[in-house]
Structure formats: C-alpha cells, structure tokens
Amino acid sequence: MKQITRIRKAVCIMANELKKAGYSLSQAFKKAWKRVKLSMTIRAAGTTFENRQERIQFVQQFKPEDLSVTLEREPNNAYDSNAIKIVIHILSIAKKTIVGYIPKGIAGELAKVIDSGIQIKASLKGIIGGYSYKETLGALINIII
C-alpha cells in the first residue's frame, strides 16, 4: 500500500512540473505515468568538465557488479537549482566519484520527486563513446522511481 502511495505522489509531482513546462494536464499525467512505469535511460550531462573523462575512464575498468549509482541533489548548484549529480560508488575499493549530472529537462521533475522524500534508484547501464582520440566518454544511467 505504501508503494502505491509513493508512486502516485511521484507521478503527481512529475505531472505538475510537466504542466509548468507547457504540457496539458492530461498529457502531463500520461507522460509522468509512462516515466514511472518504465525505467528511464538517460545520458549523463556534464561529463567533459572537472576531470570527469578521466573518472569515467577509471570506472570503465570495473565490473558492473562492483559499481552502484546514487543520485544526489545539489540545490546550491550555481548553474541549476534542480541539479542532480550522478555518483558512482566503486564497492571493491570503497571509493566514489561524480561522473556527471541528470540532464536539465528531466532534473526539474526528478528534483521535486527527490525533495519530497521519494527514493529513486539508479544503475549504470554502460559507458559509451571513446571510439577515437577525439570522442568523449559518457555514461548511460537507468533510473527507476
């Protein structure tokens, strides 16, 4: 029962944010339910700043079962008050590193969900890019509400 209440609350929060972004209420609720029912896979934003390329390259050497991902709010971020950083925990060596951020469009919705106390699960789906000397690395993150 608690699970259903939590999910409904997340949907309402996300739908309200989508409505503010210009969706009709009906469209906003449909999109919010779709995001909650299905997991979302997003590409981490900001992966080319603050030595994050080196961090992602370091993370790449570990097995997926040695890694866990958390999403942490950063309300005092100078660029976006809805910022959510993606933190990868390397369990085998007890270290963690920030590899990027949730893209701004989705962060606005998810920030309100996190701020309301609803837990969001995340996992690393894969490291992408790095095919030639110019190609940057990125991270695909799977999000489940």
Side-chain angles (χ1 to χ4, degrees):
M1 185 66 178
K2 258 188 177 175
Q3 176 75 5
I4 292 169
T5 305
R6 184 178 66 81
I7 290 170
R8 284 183 182 155
K9 186 176 179 182
V11 167
C12 289
I13 292 167
M14 290 175 76
N16 283 332
E17 290 305 306
L18 288 166
K19 188 169 182 332
K20 288 178 191 173
Y23 287 87
S24 73
L25 193 58
S26 172
Q27 290 172 323
F29 269 98
K30 284 179 186 172
K31 191 168 183 97
W33 272 112
K34 190 175 182 182
R35 286 189 174 167
V36 169
K37 283 181 182 176
L38 309 171
S39 62
M40 292 180 274
T41 299
I42 57 102
R43 183 176 179 164
T47 57
T48 58
F49 299 98
E50 300 175 353
N51 297 330
R52 292 191 194 121
Q53 287 295 297
E54 289 83 0
R55 295 175 189 183
I56 294 170
Q57 194 170 16
F58 180 72
V59 166
Q60 211 171 13
Q61 69 185 324
F62 295 93
K63 296 176 187 160
E65 57 269 15
D66 288 337
L67 305 172
S68 73
V69 178
T70 56
L71 303 177
E72 298 177 11
R73 281 283 282 122
E74 200 174 77
N76 298 326
N77 185 297
Y79 303 103
D80 183 9
S81 62
N82 291 320
I84 303 170
K85 58 187 171 185
I86 300 167
V87 181
I88 294 185
H89 301 263
I90 306 166
L91 306 174
S92 58
I93 61 171
K95 297 282 182 195
K96 66 180 182 176
T97 186
I98 300 166
V99 295
Y101 286 82
I102 299 294
K104 193 172 187 166
I106 297 173
E109 300 165 38
L110 290 180
K112 303 287 187 277
V113 173
I114 292 171
D115 291 348
S116 73
I118 296 172
Q119 196 69 27
I120 296 178
K121 295 177 185 160
S123 61
L124 180 67
K125 195 164 187 174
I127 304 291
I128 55 173
Y131 303 117
S132 68
Y133 70 96
K134 288 185 177 181
E135 183 77 29
T136 58
L137 294 168
L140 288 178
I141 306 297
N142 198 40
I143 300 170
I144 300 171
I145 298 174

